Amino acid sequence: MQVNGRMTREQLLNRINQVSFAVDEMILFLDTHPDNEEARAYFEEKSALRNEALEEYAKLYGPLTIDTANDTCSRSWEWVQQPWPWELPLKGGCR
């Protein structure tokens, strides 16, 4: 379910996981097929989607990676006060 046209926190985390998996798989594939232009284009597309999703998550909930940790406007790391991703309630599945 989207809220105000945006993905929920859970949906955004799932999206990050999905595109991160695709990026990781393409890295492995490109290790053995470095001249495959189709794979390189797919990798670049998914990397851009991953970066967009990470930036959106950081803007709404705080950074998941150091790459999106931009706290230059304050003297404290306020994002560490928020719940960590593994502290969020899971719906279904194991915990």
Side-chain angles (χ1 to χ4, degrees):
M1 178 178 151
Q2 293 188 352
V3 178
N4 296 329
R6 293 186 183 159
M7 287 190 259
T8 65
R9 187 177 198 153
E10 184 178 350
Q11 289 171 325
L12 197 48
L13 280 172
N14 284 335
R15 179 72 174 149
I16 291 167
N17 286 334
Q18 290 168 357
V19 293
S20 294
F21 180 83
V23 167
D24 291 343
E25 288 298 305
M26 282 298 97
I27 289 171
L28 294 173
F29 182 82
L30 287 166
D31 282 346
T32 58
H33 302 79
D35 298 325
N36 188 312
E37 292 302 319
E38 187 177 341
R40 181 168 301 283
Y42 184 82
F43 167 76
E44 290 172 3
E45 174 191 344
K46 296 306 176 190
S47 291
L49 289 173
R50 181 180 185 274
N51 290 337
E52 289 172 17
L54 284 169
E55 288 174 13
E56 180 71 13
Y57 188 94
K59 184 173 61 174
L60 296 171
Y61 308 110
L64 286 175
T65 66
I66 194 66
D67 301 333
T68 55
N70 184 6
D71 198 16
T72 57
C73 296
S74 75
R75 294 177 170 240
S76 68
W77 294 91
E78 296 173 10
W79 56 271
V80 300
Q81 304 303 322
Q82 299 175 14
W84 296 97
W86 56 86
E87 294 176 328
L88 298 173
L90 292 178
K91 295 179 181 171
C94 299
R95 177 111 191 182

